[in-house]
Amino acid sequence: MKKGVFSVVLASAVLAAASLAFAGAYGEPEKPEEIPAPPPAPPAPEVVAPRIMREFTGFLTDAETTRGIWAELGSVYAAEYHPKAVGDVEAVNTYLHASFGTELFEVGLLAPYVYVHQDTIGSDNDFGDLKAWAKVMPLRTENFALGGGLIFSFPTAGSGLGTDEYGFEPYLTFNAVAGPTNIRASLGYEVTTDPNNIVADKHTGLPRNAPSDEYDYTDANLAVLMPLTMLGGFGDQVVVRAELTHNHFMSNDADPVSIFPGADISFHVGPGELLLRPTLGIGINEAPDWQIGLGIAYNTGV
């Protein structure tokens, strides 16, 4: 009997020890597996607005628009060589223009002062024809822009230095972006009021009766502009450009063609940019043999 009781007690003790062992191994609550926190997301890249690039000779019909206010003072010297019977011609066109705009529109004024000298005639200087323009760009995407505008000309020039007429030039303009390069083109047609009046002949200076289409012409411009950002450093502040201009005058079928390589060099000044705009002109057909110019502009909208 005692042996049976001892066996039961021993068995109970073994079960109790086993229970305690299992309780020590499995009785505590299981700790969840620790998952490392993901690394912080990298900061979003800063969105850099594309540089505003403007044409030089084709500023009025450019597919780009002024952002804020643009004020520019500049001068262009041109020389054209002729036989002694006609005489070499040189001219200096000093201009002041100001414009205001946003991404979708632009308005502006252009006021030139002209000096002309011809060996066989002499010299003259006076204000040129004042121009005002308005431009609307209803379609503008990251890689394409299309719009149009109208240029008004006023007969403010001295005798022989302008048209003595009012002029109206409607035009279309577009821009396509290929990487860092902008390819632009514009086409307009200048129509002048009926000039049934006496004007000074551009070659002899003598008075004559001008025909009705004396100053009507087509106005075409093709331009390529590219910032030198790939060079780094100072290259970020330089935009190189090349412009091709072509006009066709209805009265005599003249087709002057010129190419204008140049650059815009910008410096941050206050809330905007100061730009130096050196430009060279090379006559290809029925145009001044060469030209050289410099514009100094300030643009608040950058």
Side-chain angles (χ1 to χ4, degrees):
M1 181 69 179
K2 290 182 179 179
K3 185 178 179 180
V5 173
F6 179 77
S7 298
V8 172
V9 173
L10 180 61
S12 299
V14 171
L15 290 174
S19 298
L20 290 175
F22 279 100
Y26 302 102
E28 296 179 1
E30 183 179 354
K31 295 182 180 180
E33 183 181 356
E34 293 186 2
I35 302 176
E46 182 181 357
V47 178
V48 179
R51 174 171 287 280
I52 303 301
M53 301 182 291
R54 295 304 302 259
E55 298 180 40
F56 187 82
T57 59
F59 190 97
L60 277 62
T61 60
D62 194 349
E64 188 55 274
T65 52
T66 299
R67 312 299 166 86
I69 297 174
W70 179 292
E72 182 173 348
L73 175 65
S75 188
V76 178
Y77 172 85
E80 188 172 335
Y81 305 112
H82 297 280
K84 289 185 177 180
V86 177
D88 296 341
V89 180
E90 59 180 358
V92 179
N93 180 13
T94 300
Y95 63 88
L96 172 66
H97 84 236
S99 56
F100 170 79
T102 67
E103 289 187 1
L104 300 180
F105 81 95
E106 178 181 280
V107 293
L109 288 170
L110 173 65
Y113 191 88
V114 183
Y115 166 83
V116 179
H117 173 80
Q118 187 167 351
D119 291 344
T120 56
I121 296 176
S123 302
D124 196 5
N125 62 93
D126 209 329
F127 286 100
D129 288 339
L130 179 69
K131 292 188 176 185
W133 75 92
K135 180 194 310 176
V136 179
M137 302 298 298
L139 177 59
R140 187 183 293 281
T141 67
E142 183 179 353
N143 297 313
F144 188 80
L146 178 66
L150 183 63
I151 302 172
F152 304 87
S153 299
F154 303 90
T156 57
S159 178
L161 297 178
T163 62
D164 291 327
E165 320 166 39
Y166 291 93
F168 307 90
E169 181 186 342
Y171 64 88
L172 294 175
T173 182
F174 90 94
N175 177 52
V177 179
T181 303
N182 281 232
I183 303 171
R184 299 177 185 172
S186 63
L187 179 63
Y189 184 78
E190 171 90 359
V191 179
T192 51
T193 54
D194 187 2
N196 289 325
N197 54 9
I198 304 299
V199 299
D201 186 273
K202 65 181 69 177
H203 296 298
T204 66
L206 300 175
R208 62 179 176 80
N209 189 31
S212 59
D213 62 351
E214 172 75 3
Y215 299 108
D216 293 1
Y217 64 91
T218 60
D219 180 18
N221 185 284
L222 177 65
V224 177
L225 303 95
M226 184 178 67
L228 298 183
T229 52
M230 73 288 294
L231 299 181
F234 188 71
D236 295 343
Q237 300 170 246
V238 180
V239 173
V240 293
R241 45 183 163 74
E243 300 175 57
L244 178 71
T245 64
H246 171 255
N247 303 115
H248 176 76
F249 286 86
M250 304 304 167
S251 62
N252 57 8
D253 289 330
D255 287 283
V257 179
S258 296
I259 185 170
F260 292 88
D264 284 0
I265 306 168
S266 61
F267 305 90
H268 284 285
V269 177
E273 280 187 332
L274 179 71
L275 296 101
L276 302 180
R277 316 191 73 203
T279 301
L280 179 67
I282 304 169
I284 298 177
N285 181 65
E286 298 181 313
D289 294 296
W290 64 276
Q291 303 179 57
I292 186 169
L294 175 65
I296 302 175
Y298 187 76
N299 181 22
T300 64
V302 294

